[in-house]
Amino acid sequence: MLTHNLGFPRIGIDRELKRATESFWKGEISEAALAETGRELRLRHWDMQRRRGVDLVPVGDFSLYDHMLDMAVLLGAVPERYGWSGRYVDLPTYFRMARGDAGHGGVTAMEMTKWFDTNYHYIVPEFHRGQKFYVSSTKVFDEVREALDAGFKAKPVLPGPFTFIGLGKSVSTGFDKWEHLDAVVAVYEEILALLGQQCRWIQLDEPVLAQDLDPEILRRFRPVYERLSQAAAPAGLLLATYFGGVDHHAETIRELPVAGLHLDLVRAPEQLEAFLDLPETVHLSLGVVDGRNVWKVDMDRALERIGKAVEKRGADRVMVAPSCSLLHSPLDLDRETGLDGRIRNWMAFAAQKCTELHVLSMSAQGLNAVEPLKQNRRAWRDRRSSALIHDPLVRQRVDDVTEAMGRRESPYAQRAWVQREHLGLPLLPTTTIGSFPQTPEIRRTRLEHKRGEIGAREYTEAMHGFIEDSVRRQEELGLDVLVHGEAERNDMVEYFGQQLDGYCFTANGWVQSYGSRCVKPPVIFGDVSRPEPMTVEWIRYARSLTDRPVKGMLTGPVTILQWSFVRDDQPCEETCRQIALAVRDEVADLEADGVSIIQIDEPALREGLPLRRKDWNAYLNWGVECFRLSASPVRDETQIHTHMCYAEFNDIIEWIAAMDADVISIEASRSNMELLEAFGRFDYPNEVGPGVYDIHSPRVPSTEEMAELIRRAIRVVPAERLWVNPDCGLKTRAWPETMESLANLVAAARTVRGELK
Ligand code: GLN
Ligand code: ZN
């Protein structure tokens, strides 16, 4: 029974790859030095996997930026604007595709977007009419050579053609990107023919199979995979699916002439049944170790699944693997010496997951693995019964949640009256999304505090200084609803996680987000509760400085959940409800302290959407319920805001309305207010602040430009229900452009107010 891995973290235990690429971009190190860092990391990581018992190591999963970009380069899918005409794409061109010519007024980067429902971002391939494809990179061949020379059993890994094209976009108007399928497959054939001479297995990733697919596209799988299998021979193709079940496409998949099929049995254990009767020669790869989380596998449960497959197909036709690439989990738990030893004992990072694969395969074959299996059972038994995790009070509160707790006292129309009275805001009120520029001084102060170099008093004083500065600036600008500026927050989820029970933090649990960017998600390990108020004092201080309303600023339960590593011993919705109750307590405390406007940000609501539409309702049901639970302990006169920052609202607008926030501020300026269509068509009932200022760029929008956007918005949403604000928080901006832009924003609102009179 072979063990294999679908992919491994690239970045390195000390984020060596991040450092090397960023140094290369700054011109501090040479291309050769960067290449050498890559080589060292690959060899080190292959060795790590093999030593821990992985039989087939993935090759080609390594990337200097992103594996979809690598695939585009391998196929010669270089957009024309990069002016590339040579044979093999060079490194400067590669990075220009990823990042554009930042600041040189040159070409723009290719678009980047989220990889399925993960927090990893890939570069979106571009297709245009008349495009030609050639083998245009030697990367995967070189790396296979490198692995073989070093004595590893190499299994090349590439995104499959359906995933590559399916995730790409057509840039020629009226052009159907699928017209290129044949040409793209022809290049794949060439690539596979070369690799097939050197390796026993070649893995093609087709995670698009976990989604709903157009029947026309689905029909093309078989002929394409016939060509690919032939080209790859004598190597066998391993078709890898993950992030969800693929049993809805079982009929198509069963007919593919592949040598192996990988299933994600963490996300969709039930799908195993549908594939137990594959043709006898096909290897079934069982993804039983969670590639996207930090917990130890439950070996007994995994062995049960493996046993089922072995019984049906025989041990030599079964492979054991992580559910998906380990790219999405941190690298090595051995570094986490600061964690509570008891919690640490429940965890496994990428390196430890490799060991788990080995132990599972040994155990399933009745080979000696008794001790590690025992240890695993002990860890799980301890976890299941641990008092660290289980808080009866939290359980009781969740059980006692009633529907009424998710409802405001009166419907919006009535609340709006009371709020208008109470707040006395002008027409088209102006506000911002929460954060103000995080200056080097602010960052330094937080860091010094974290390191214990400055005490609590000094820290608070410094923060008060930043708050006061931001309040003065907002008053000077003439904004109507102020914020305190979020200087004390390094991250909108970590800040709350650090104050909640049930959370812990790794020292080095980095996961790649895009390119050289990594995130270190906090870990929810137990029942979540809020021991004491988290934001009240900062807001109180801000309020003490001004007569204008200051918004309380919170992160919503779905976003806190989405951007953390979550428990795998209870459903996400259960965890989300616990977080919702904690946020609810904070909302109640803010109101009791006299705060009249409270914003609960939910920028991650949309990215949590399940891959298949049929699962959307269930998710949105509990997601919206949790938001409402957190937002509803307040009186009618207290105004609840929410904020989201993405432009595609069309398909979830009804759910956004169901959140019943009094006001929602949303990203709109980049899409030229396109989203308003959705709000107009659906007749969104509450108040909206479509962003009129794109904060992603240092450019200062003019008064007239923003006034025009406001006028456009008024055509769809009545002025009485319209707010004026930027697209998102301003923490990545600098003060000068922020002041200028906000001055213009306030002027734009005044201009349009004048026109309305
Ligand atoms: N209140 C947060 C801020 O202003 C919102 C950030 C976000 O939407 N991602 O930074
Ligand atoms: Zn935002």
Side-chain angles (χ1 to χ4, degrees):
M1 187 185 304
L2 285 175
T3 56
H4 74 111
N5 189 9
L6 274 62
F8 203 71
R10 305 155 179 160
I11 215 83
I13 192 65
D14 292 312
R15 284 180 294 159
E16 294 90 326
L17 187 59
K18 173 192 178 66
R19 276 173 243 267
T21 39
E22 289 176 358
S23 303
F24 175 73
W25 295 337
K26 284 189 217 137
E28 292 164 7
I29 65 165
S30 67
E31 192 172 325
L34 174 60
E36 183 49 29
T37 301
R39 205 180 80 89
E40 276 168 18
L41 286 169
R42 286 190 296 273
L43 289 169
R44 193 200 301 163
H45 292 160
W46 288 326
D47 186 56
M48 209 164 178
Q49 296 172 71
R50 183 174 60 185
R51 263 189 300 118
R52 291 174 174 268
V54 174
D55 298 318
L56 302 174
V57 297
V59 178
D61 58 329
F62 177 85
S63 177
L64 288 174
Y65 202 92
D66 162 51
H67 55 272
M68 286 290 278
L69 177 61
D70 291 353
M71 194 67 222
V73 164
L74 175 54
L75 297 170
V78 182
E80 283 164 338
R81 63 182 177 280
Y82 301 103
W84 164 79
S85 60
R87 168 89 173 121
Y88 295 119
V89 177
D90 58 12
L91 197 62
T93 305
Y94 176 86
F95 282 135
R96 281 168 72 228
M97 291 166 76
R99 312 173 64 229
D101 281 336
H104 303 306
V107 292
T108 52
M110 291 172 78
E111 190 184 319
M112 185 167 68
T113 194
K114 276 182 192 271
W115 179 242
F116 298 89
D117 57 355
T118 72
N119 217 339
Y120 177 83
H121 301 69
Y122 70 94
I123 298 284
V124 180
E126 293 181 18
F127 300 104
H128 60 85
R129 210 176 260 113
Q131 195 168 356
K132 295 275 179 289
F133 301 90
Y134 310 91
V135 175
S136 304
S137 158
T138 60
K139 174 183 175 285
V140 70
F141 310 110
D142 298 342
E143 290 176 6
V144 165
R145 186 74 348 262
E146 186 178 83
L148 293 174
D149 285 349
F152 294 100
K153 275 196 200 131
K155 178 194 56 178
V157 177
L158 296 170
F162 290 93
T163 294
F164 180 71
I165 297 179
L167 296 189
K169 62 173 186 187
S170 168
V171 291
S172 313
T173 33
F175 176 71
D176 174 9
K177 61 187 179 181
W178 291 104
E179 281 182 30
H180 283 327
L181 182 63
D182 269 330
V184 164
V185 169
V187 185
Y188 267 89
E189 286 178 301
E190 235 181 281
I191 298 163
L192 296 180
L194 286 167
L195 296 173
Q197 299 303 318
Q198 297 176 287
C199 307
R200 163 78 183 82
W201 286 97
I202 301 171
Q203 175 185 323
L204 291 181
D205 287 4
E206 294 285 17
V208 285
L209 281 166
Q211 298 176 323
D212 300 311
L213 289 175
D214 177 349
E216 273 312 308
I217 303 302
L218 205 55
R219 254 197 292 285
R220 303 182 72 173
F221 265 80
R222 179 150 165 210
V224 163
Y225 270 82
E226 267 161 10
R227 286 170 63 185
L228 298 179
S229 291
Q230 256 170 32
L237 288 186
L238 176 68
L239 177 69
T241 67
Y242 43 81
F243 299 152
V246 296
D247 42 342
H248 53 299
H249 299 313
E251 239 175 89
T252 302
I253 293 173
R254 243 187 246 128
E255 299 206 319
L256 301 180
V258 292
L261 171 67
H262 172 82
L263 301 174
D264 182 339
L265 296 183
V266 172
R267 274 285 176 89
E270 68 292 340
Q271 66 168 329
L272 179 59
E273 299 295 334
F275 297 101
L276 282 174
D277 61 347
L278 285 178
E280 204 186 315
T281 50
V282 179
H283 284 66
L284 200 53
S285 163
L286 310 177
V288 286
V289 169
D290 194 346
R292 292 180 56 170
N293 214 330
V294 293
W295 308 109
K296 276 188 172 146
V297 64
D298 176 345
M299 288 203 176
D300 283 317
R301 203 161 51 176
L303 284 170
E304 204 182 292
R305 284 170 193 154
I306 298 171
K308 225 185 243 173
V310 169
E311 192 185 313
K312 252 322 231 284
R313 312 188 54 78
D316 56 349
R317 286 288 180 274
V318 170
M319 296 160 116
V320 183
S323 58
C324 60
S325 168
L326 295 176
L327 179 65
H328 312 290
S329 72
L331 182 52
D332 192 353
L333 186 63
D334 290 349
R335 277 293 183 98
E336 300 301 328
T337 47
L339 278 177
D340 181 326
R342 293 168 296 180
I343 299 168
R344 192 169 162 255
N345 189 38
W346 305 332
M347 294 179 156
F349 291 0
Q352 290 70 32
K353 287 171 194 287
C354 292
T355 308
E356 293 187 330
L357 298 177
H358 178 65
V359 174
L360 285 170
S361 130
M362 298 280 279
S363 299
Q365 296 174 90
L367 301 170
N368 186 13
V370 179
E371 201 35 51
L373 189 60
K374 259 198 211 153
Q375 277 174 19
N376 179 273
R377 284 193 185 128
R378 226 177 289 135
W380 267 95
R381 206 177 315 127
D382 174 57
R383 183 174 171 200
R384 285 201 181 93
S385 60
S386 172
L388 284 176
I389 290 194
H390 304 287
D391 182 339
L393 287 177
V394 175
R395 295 282 151 153
Q396 195 55 51
R397 275 196 81 188
V398 171
D399 285 347
D400 292 348
V401 167
T402 59
E403 213 221 302
M405 287 166 73
R407 245 182 288 123
R408 299 286 301 270
E409 280 170 4
S410 317
Y412 164 76
Q414 214 166 313
R415 300 196 303 266
W417 268 101
V418 189
Q419 288 167 16
R420 222 156 272 157
E421 245 346 59
H422 185 62
L423 294 167
L425 294 170
L427 200 60
L428 304 175
T430 54
T431 190
T432 60
I433 307 303
S435 58
F436 274 116
Q438 295 239 324
T439 57
E441 204 191 345
I442 290 180
R443 290 174 195 279
R444 200 181 333 111
T445 308
R446 270 202 322 260
L447 193 66
E448 285 169 356
H449 178 57
K450 194 175 152 192
R451 291 196 184 134
E453 291 162 13
I454 57 172
R457 249 205 34 216
E458 212 179 318
Y459 175 73
T460 305
E461 266 166 30
M463 285 298 142
H464 282 175
F466 300 131
I467 292 174
E468 178 160 10
D469 177 53
S470 95
V471 169
R472 294 292 163 250
R473 285 171 186 267
Q474 293 173 81
E475 285 189 320
E476 186 191 313
L477 286 163
L479 286 157
D480 299 308
V481 173
L482 313 195
V483 295
H484 77 296
E486 300 181 25
E488 78 287 9
R489 302 182 193 179
N490 151 52
D491 175 278
M492 65 187 290
V493 169
E494 190 179 65
Y495 178 76
F496 290 96
Q498 273 162 348
Q499 301 185 73
L500 291 169
D501 283 347
Y503 260 97
C504 67
F505 298 84
T506 64
N508 214 32
W510 296 100
V511 177
Q512 191 177 5
S513 171
Y514 63 87
S516 66
R517 261 291 280 271
C518 302
V519 294
K520 195 153 60 79
V523 180
I524 305 174
F525 67 89
D527 288 338
V528 175
S529 60
R530 187 202 68 147
E532 50 190 47
M534 305 182 281
T535 63
V536 175
E537 280 181 21
W538 297 126
I539 307 297
R540 185 187 303 151
Y541 182 74
R543 281 168 41 232
S544 74
L545 301 169
T546 176
D547 294 333
R548 302 189 185 204
V550 178
K551 285 194 272 193
M553 196 58 61
L554 305 174
T555 303
V558 181
T559 298
I560 293 183
L561 179 88
Q562 211 58 245
W563 290 347
S564 305
F565 281 119
V566 293
R567 297 172 67 166
D568 61 351
D569 60 341
Q570 70 181 20
C572 279
E573 58 175 288
E574 178 91 8
T575 308
C576 199
R577 244 174 238 125
Q578 297 179 354
I579 304 171
L581 286 171
V583 176
R584 179 182 173 92
D585 292 345
E586 188 71 16
V587 169
D589 281 347
L590 283 168
E591 183 188 58
D593 206 58
V595 179
S596 48
I597 306 183
I598 301 167
Q599 180 172 312
I600 308 171
D601 294 329
E602 283 290 20
L605 180 78
R606 191 175 204 293
E607 72 185 51
L609 273 184
L611 296 186
R612 295 187 57 199
R613 228 167 226 277
K614 76 165 179 54
D615 303 323
W616 283 18
N617 270 6
Y619 163 78
L620 288 165
N621 250 325
W622 63 254
V624 169
E625 179 208 312
C626 286
F627 176 84
R628 295 179 60 130
L629 185 58
S630 68
S632 302
V634 292
R635 295 186 304 269
D636 281 351
E637 64 254 42
T638 301
Q639 190 171 63
I640 297 289
H641 289 217
T642 189
H643 163 70
M644 294 178 187
C645 38
Y646 33 81
E648 312 101 60
F649 281 93
N650 285 306
D651 40 11
I652 57 166
I653 181 89
E654 287 162 49
W655 292 97
I656 292 177
M659 289 165 72
D660 197 28
D662 297 301
V663 183
I664 179 172
S665 59
I666 39 175
E667 175 172 332
S669 75
R670 275 199 292 186
S671 61
N672 242 318
M673 297 268 156
E674 250 170 44
L675 86 127
L676 283 174
E677 262 174 51
F679 279 75
R681 196 169 347 99
F682 172 73
D683 204 6
Y684 182 80
N686 303 7
E687 290 158 55
V688 196
V692 292
Y693 154 27
D694 175 11
I695 59 88
H696 302 87
S697 130
R699 194 177 84 83
V700 175
S702 70
T703 301
E704 186 42 36
E705 191 181 323
M706 288 189 274
E708 190 47 36
L709 290 177
I710 301 169
R711 287 182 203 115
R712 281 179 62 176
I714 292 178
R715 280 180 228 140
V716 187
V717 178
E720 300 72 48
R721 285 198 272 122
L722 212 53
W723 286 64
V724 176
N725 48 258
D727 270 336
C728 190
L730 295 157
K731 69 180 193 183
T732 55
R733 296 269 61 90
W735 271 118
E737 77 244 23
T738 300
M739 290 303 282
E740 260 185 81
S741 302
L742 290 178
N744 290 352
L745 179 143
V746 171
R750 287 188 181 144
T751 305
V752 182
R753 269 177 213 155
E755 292 164 7
L756 289 170
K757 270 184 195 139

